[in-house]
Amino acid sequence: MKLVTIDSFPGKEYEVLGAVKGTIVHSKNFGRDFMAGLKTLVGGEIAGYTEMLNEARQIATKRMVDEAEALGADAVIGLTYGSSAVMQGAAEVIAYGTAIKFTN
């Protein structure tokens, strides 16, 4: 499955199958959340949250790809990620784009 952030696929003819998305609400465990809280006192990257968001993006992307494959897609164009805090220590991550099928 090809995933691109551009809004078209140069050099290819394709049929638009529709919008696809994958979402997840991911949280940290208490121990890591506590350690992240301590890190805010001294500053710097909070590696535990970076790992959490990277994992959440991977899961959201996989769910989006699964949805695109179910439509028979060859690629997803216009890939975009979004995130928002749902509650303290938990974030929603969404991956979305347009599923396409190559015709040539």
Side-chain angles (χ1 to χ4, degrees):
M1 177 73 57
K2 295 186 185 297
L3 305 174
V4 296
T5 58
I6 55 179
D7 292 329
S8 64
F9 212 98
K12 293 278 195 178
E13 292 181 23
Y14 54 86
E15 169 189 358
V16 173
L17 301 177
V20 289
K21 50 96 178 80
T23 62
I24 182 171
V25 175
H26 207 312
S27 68
K28 308 232 358 106
N29 68 41
F30 176 75
R32 291 180 122 182
D33 200 38
F34 178 75
M35 295 305 290
L38 293 178
K39 181 68 173 179
T40 62
L41 298 175
V42 295
E45 179 183 9
I46 302 173
Y49 281 118
T50 300
E51 291 170 17
M52 177 191 77
L53 288 172
N54 282 334
E55 182 180 336
R57 270 191 296 277
Q58 289 174 352
I59 294 167
T61 302
K62 169 86 170 74
R63 290 177 180 176
M64 180 196 64
V65 167
D66 290 346
E67 191 172 304
E69 287 176 341
L71 294 175
D74 296 313
V76 174
I77 59 174
L79 172 61
T80 304
Y81 291 98
S83 65
S84 63
V86 176
M87 57 186 276
Q88 187 172 350
E92 175 195 31
V93 173
I94 183 168
Y96 59 95
T98 302
I100 62 171
K101 181 156 188 67
F102 298 124
T103 57
N104 66 351

